[in-house]
Amino acid sequence: INQVVGNIGLFYTCYELCKRGWNAMPTSRNAKGIDIILYSQDGRQKYTVQVKSLKQKNPVPLGKSLETFFADYLIICVNVLNEPELFVTTPTQIRQKIHKGEKDGRISYWLQPKDYLEFRDNWKIVPSGF
């Protein structure tokens, strides 16, 4: 089911970006860091997107290292099995809000729901692709 949740979030995000004029191309599913490559209708603007998909408003896992966290935009898609909600931000905007967890000597990074809720439908930060 995790792969299904991931695919729903990825393709729903592509759908929303295409409505805004972008050519949205999903990358290979095992590519590190980048999930979507965007380019504008005239080909002059290019951006990268990382998508995090969740069944509900839970903490967003960001992995064991922040080195793979380098896309131009981070889009969090929650409630993917019902009515998806998108939270649109950048790594820079949330960097100070990232929680570092440590358990049994292993480190992981998370973003709590209270730290991404303000970015709901925050499309104003993404320029038009038309």
Side-chain angles (χ1 to χ4, degrees):
I1 188 98
N2 286 346
Q3 187 174 5
V4 171
V5 168
N7 284 339
I8 293 169
L10 174 71
F11 290 109
Y12 185 76
T13 300
C14 285
Y15 161 75
E16 288 292 338
L17 288 162
C18 289
K19 287 190 339 188
R20 290 161 173 80
W22 292 99
N23 294 300
M25 299 185 312
T27 62
S28 170
R29 293 306 287 143
N30 59 0
K32 287 276 186 229
I34 303 301
D35 296 309
I36 302 169
I37 297 171
L38 297 180
Y39 64 96
S40 60
Q41 296 298 311
D42 63 9
R44 293 184 182 166
Q45 298 179 80
K46 298 172 191 75
Y47 297 102
T48 57
V49 179
Q50 188 168 4
V51 179
K52 295 293 184 181
S53 306
L54 302 166
K55 286 190 269 189
Q56 53 200 16
K57 281 187 185 118
N58 285 334
V60 178
L62 299 175
K64 299 173 189 148
S65 168
L66 294 179
E67 289 176 20
T68 59
F69 194 53
F70 55 82
D72 296 308
Y73 296 100
L74 169 66
I75 299 181
I76 301 163
C77 186
V78 303
N79 202 27
V80 299
L81 299 176
N82 296 302
E83 292 184 32
E85 292 179 75
L86 295 175
F87 300 86
V88 184
T89 185
T90 66
T92 304
Q93 286 179 312
I94 56 123
R95 184 131 342 241
Q96 299 303 317
K97 300 176 183 212
I98 294 173
H99 171 75
K100 181 179 178 181
E102 200 166 341
K103 186 175 182 181
D104 299 328
R106 292 184 305 223
I107 294 173
S108 60
Y109 294 91
W110 298 85
L111 187 62
Q112 296 296 330
K114 66 180 176 59
D115 294 323
Y116 64 79
L117 292 178
E118 70 184 274
F119 301 109
R120 183 169 198 258
D121 291 326
N122 187 30
W123 292 107
K124 67 182 180 282
I125 67 169
V126 181
S128 172
F130 288 112

